[in-house]
Amino acid sequence: VVPRGSHRPAPSRPLWVLGADIGGTKIVAGLVDPAGAVRARHRREVPSDRDPEGVLRATADCLAACRAEAPEAPRAIGVGVAGQVEPGTGTVRYAPNLRWRDVPLGSRLGELSGLPVAVANDVRTITLGEWRFGEGRGCRNLLCLFVGTGIGGGAVIDGRLAEGAAHALGEVGHTPLVADGRPCHCPNRGCLEAYVGGWAIAERVRELAAREPAARGLIARAGGIDRIEPRTVELAAREGDPFASAFVHERAEEFATGLVGLVNAFNPERVVVGGKIVEGFPEYLAAARRAVAERCQPPAAAAEIRGSRLHADAGILGAAHLARELFAARRRLR
Amino acid sequence: VVPRGSHRPAPSRPLWVLGADIGGTKIVAGLVDPAGAVRARHRREVPSDRDPEGVLRATADCLAACRAEAPEAPRAIGVGVAGQVEPGTGTVRYAPNLRWRDVPLGSRLGELSGLPVAVANDVRTITLGEWRFGEGRGCRNLLCLFVGTGIGGGAVIDGRLAEGAAHALGEVGHTPLVADGRPCHCPNRGCLEAYVGGWAIAERVRELAAREPAARGLIARAGGIDRIEPRTVELAAREGDPFASAFVHERAEEFATGLVGLVNAFNPERVVVGGKIVEGFPEYLAAARRAVAERCQPPAAAAEIRGSRLHADAGILGAAHLARELFAARRRLR
């Protein structure tokens, strides 16, 4: 129940609100004060069967824990969820990670909490959080990329959070890096995500380790080829393991090449890059800065590349911002 | 002198206006009636030295020829130009094809014509023309691609012509198709334009022809390898030449792969594709339709792909639309 065409600065009201982020494995929620600071945080595991009613109750419980710490009653709830959301109703049409179809998340959470609830896709709430409260503050044209298990993104274009035909503008992980290349988890091959996202890193480092004698140290550290994870590579690279360092360097260059194309296409003034892979591999940011400055078209090359500093709070703050906007919009209607 | 943040439907006034498109080699201008139909067209060659004053005079002359045919006095001029334009002043900051820097196109044309003049980048006027009068009519989210010597593009996002930080949003020709691939005319390698745009087609077909016995027919038709042009390939393919047909088919598949990524990233409801390469190689459209439907992410895969039918009139109509908006904005200020 996000009012369409909103996302303009909400009139500043001294409102306390709640923001939550429902991912495939965990739920985080926060209490956000009128100045936009997160004043309490709670988290819950997503029940392993991912049953909608169980996830809804866990989310309501997590929000209630935040609410209990509020010095003043929160007036609205915002939720980001990893799926396609119908903004008018807050219904989750399709959430592959949660294996949901047509879950009325907004209306059920409204019943459980007694508060108005705004729901949006999590990448959109995170982009909103970075734009309003994070490294994207003040930009009229911002591109956000989040490199975790997959790669997601969102964009602010000419001063508004961009939606696209199906609220999916910014799916930057599924632009080609290598035509006809490695199979992706999407219906295509050769996508950026299939080269430098978390699942691809795990897959590729194991493939390489199986035939590279230099990977012995990494394999030993992980306790077997199939146990090598992005985090193992990160730790090994930090300690100077040459195989891991070279691997990270190559992925960073691939990421940078993809980013050059996205910056040419979107012409943002700034790019904010976040997610656990970028946090683990700061080489991604360094390579991206160099590549954008040297290899973008002249007008696009001026884009500034920054790492997210809000981390998990971006989703809470963006969702809380939606909550604030929803409350303001309802008040205007009265 | 385009008012910022405009491009919303201009109030319909019974205005006659003039639209022009200044390319690297030719100038076209048209007289546009109050209903948005092109009622007269004229063209001039760009003087071979590309001297700004000479191009300005040729443009003014071309516009004057259209104006002479108007049943009622045109009230404003719109111009699209292949370069970076400062919208507030109508000054062309940089136009590589014309070898211009800092040419006050808007103010000089205003002096020569005595009319208000709006200036924008030609890809933006063409996108505006397709959106308001062509195959993009009625869309809130539209991506336009023009495949000529190079590849350019523009986008309508959430109901507005998108600008980006430097009015360059939509430079879709410089997204990667093959990381580290063929050198491009931009500072990068492996761009879509370097594989399937007009100059790349000429370069690649000549490279292939030099080593492929099957290309003998094509070489004979062109009168030498270095005289093979995209148009030669087109004609040979139309007549069933197997080498030319296979070549076109492969380029169409590459184009389609690039388009899949762009449709994922921009999530348009429709894509309009134009330019002389697409007009010559309709395989580009067929391959794009198939690939988008089969290989895009589910929400993006619904995008409809259409070929431009306005051709050169898109630029005239888009520029005329800007003229109309400028006139309306000035009237509101009075």
Side-chain angles (χ1 to χ4, degrees):
Chain A
V1 280
V2 181
R4 264 180 177 272
S6 69
H7 312 305
R8 281 173 218 131
S12 64
R13 289 165 185 283
L15 282 186
W16 289 73
V17 289
L18 298 166
D21 191 12
I22 306 177
T25 58
K26 65 180 200 295
I27 299 154
V28 297
L31 168 71
V32 180
D33 75 13
V38 181
R39 299 286 287 272
R41 291 174 190 81
H42 287 272
R43 63 186 279 168
R44 298 286 182 277
E45 298 299 307
V46 167
S48 57
D49 64 1
R50 299 178 175 96
D51 173 62
E53 197 56 30
V55 177
L56 270 159
R57 291 195 176 278
T59 306
D61 185 55
C62 192
L63 286 161
C66 296
R67 197 171 176 174
E69 295 188 39
E72 200 179 304
R75 306 298 290 270
I77 293 173
V79 183
V81 58
Q84 270 177 259
V85 178
E86 195 178 76
T89 62
T91 293
V92 180
R93 283 285 157 235
Y94 176 54
N97 293 338
L98 290 162
R99 296 183 213 130
W100 284 6
R101 277 196 181 275
D102 300 321
V103 173
L105 177 63
S107 60
R108 284 291 292 127
L109 268 184
E111 286 162 22
L112 291 170
S113 66
L115 291 177
V117 180
V119 184
N121 172 272
D122 60 346
V123 176
R124 316 199 89 64
T125 52
I126 295 171
T127 300
L128 197 51
E130 291 290 353
W131 181 34
R132 289 296 181 205
F133 304 98
E135 292 300 300
R137 217 166 342 179
C139 285
R140 278 182 59 80
N141 285 279
L142 172 70
L143 184 63
C144 291
L145 268 87
F146 308 103
V147 190
T149 305
I151 298 181
V156 172
I157 294 175
D158 301 333
R160 299 194 303 183
L161 183 67
E163 297 290 338
H167 308 283
L169 189 145
E171 268 289 10
V172 293
H174 302 280
T175 48
L177 185 70
V178 178
D180 254 339
R182 297 179 65 88
C184 189
H185 288 181
C186 85
N188 204 13
R189 308 176 68 91
C191 300
L192 185 60
E193 174 172 308
Y195 284 78
V196 301
W199 65 259
I201 286 178
E203 210 173 274
R204 297 180 77 191
V205 73
R206 291 169 194 173
E207 282 172 21
L208 264 178
R211 54 173 200 263
E212 276 276 354
R216 265 175 313 189
L218 186 67
I219 298 169
R221 170 194 287 268
I225 284 183
D226 288 343
R227 299 176 69 175
I228 307 176
E229 297 290 344
R231 178 82 175 145
T232 336
V233 180
E234 176 192 334
L235 296 174
R238 290 297 80 80
E239 290 174 20
D241 177 281
F243 172 80
S245 299
F247 180 85
V248 170
H249 178 76
E250 286 158 18
R251 298 301 75 73
E253 290 301 324
E254 289 172 342
F255 173 75
T257 294
L259 193 63
V260 165
L262 292 166
V263 168
N264 280 333
F266 282 97
N267 186 28
E269 63 198 89
R270 198 176 297 160
V271 181
V272 173
V273 190
K276 68 176 193 288
I277 296 299
V278 175
E279 286 164 25
F281 302 166
E283 291 84 350
Y284 273 45
L285 278 176
R289 283 193 187 108
R290 217 167 31 234
V292 164
E294 288 170 9
R295 288 154 52 198
C296 274
Q297 298 265 89
E304 187 191 359
I305 316 296
R306 294 196 190 174
S308 164
R309 295 196 299 180
L310 288 178
H311 309 297
D313 277 356
I316 291 173
L317 287 168
H321 188 75
L322 283 184
R324 213 179 289 279
E325 287 190 325
L326 175 66
F327 187 83
R330 294 232 172 139
R331 175 160 290 189
R332 278 195 299 273
L333 286 178
R334 260 181 236 146
Chain B
V1 278
V2 180
R4 264 182 177 270
S6 68
H7 312 306
R8 281 172 219 132
S12 64
R13 289 167 186 279
L15 282 186
W16 290 74
V17 290
L18 298 167
D21 191 12
I22 306 177
T25 58
K26 64 178 198 299
I27 299 155
V28 296
L31 169 70
V32 180
D33 75 13
V38 181
R39 300 288 287 273
R41 290 173 191 81
H42 287 273
R43 63 186 279 168
R44 299 285 182 277
E45 298 298 309
V46 167
S48 56
D49 63 2
R50 299 179 175 96
D51 174 62
E53 198 54 32
V55 177
L56 271 160
R57 293 195 174 277
T59 306
D61 185 56
C62 193
L63 286 161
C66 295
R67 196 171 178 175
E69 294 187 40
E72 200 180 304
R75 305 298 288 271
I77 293 172
V79 183
V81 59
Q84 271 177 259
V85 178
E86 195 178 77
T89 61
T91 292
V92 179
R93 282 286 157 236
Y94 176 54
N97 294 337
L98 290 162
R99 296 183 213 131
W100 284 5
R101 277 196 180 274
D102 300 319
V103 173
L105 177 63
S107 60
R108 284 291 290 128
L109 269 184
E111 287 163 20
L112 291 171
S113 66
L115 290 176
V117 180
V119 184
N121 171 273
D122 60 346
V123 176
R124 317 199 87 68
T125 53
I126 295 171
T127 300
L128 197 52
E130 291 291 352
W131 180 35
R132 290 297 181 204
F133 304 99
E135 293 300 299
R137 216 165 347 178
C139 286
R140 278 183 58 80
N141 285 278
L142 172 70
L143 184 63
C144 291
L145 269 87
F146 309 103
V147 190
T149 305
I151 298 182
V156 172
I157 293 175
D158 301 334
R160 299 195 301 183
L161 183 67
E163 298 290 338
H167 308 282
L169 189 145
E171 268 289 11
V172 293
H174 302 280
T175 47
L177 186 70
V178 178
D180 254 338
R182 298 179 64 88
C184 189
H185 288 181
C186 84
N188 203 12
R189 307 176 68 92
C191 299
L192 185 60
E193 175 172 307
Y195 284 77
V196 301
W199 65 258
I201 286 179
E203 209 174 274
R204 296 180 78 191
V205 73
R206 292 172 193 170
E207 282 173 19
L208 264 179
R211 53 175 202 261
E212 275 275 354
R216 265 175 312 188
L218 186 67
I219 298 169
R221 171 193 287 269
I225 284 183
D226 288 342
R227 300 177 67 176
I228 308 177
E229 297 290 344
R231 178 81 176 147
T232 337
V233 179
E234 176 192 334
L235 296 174
R238 292 295 80 81
E239 290 174 19
D241 177 282
F243 172 81
S245 300
F247 180 86
V248 170
H249 178 77
E250 286 158 20
R251 298 299 76 73
E253 290 301 323
E254 288 172 343
F255 173 74
T257 293
L259 192 62
V260 164
L262 292 167
V263 169
N264 280 334
F266 282 97
N267 185 28
E269 63 197 271
R270 197 176 296 159
V271 181
V272 174
V273 189
K276 67 177 194 286
I277 295 298
V278 174
E279 287 165 23
F281 301 165
E283 290 84 350
Y284 273 44
L285 277 177
R289 283 192 186 107
R290 218 167 30 237
V292 164
E294 289 170 8
R295 288 154 52 197
C296 274
Q297 297 266 87
E304 187 192 359
I305 316 296
R306 294 197 189 172
S308 165
R309 295 197 299 181
L310 288 179
H311 308 297
D313 277 357
I316 291 173
L317 287 167
H321 188 74
L322 283 185
R324 213 178 290 281
E325 288 190 324
L326 176 66
F327 187 84
R330 294 231 171 141
R331 176 159 291 189
R332 278 195 300 272
L333 287 178
R334 260 181 237 148

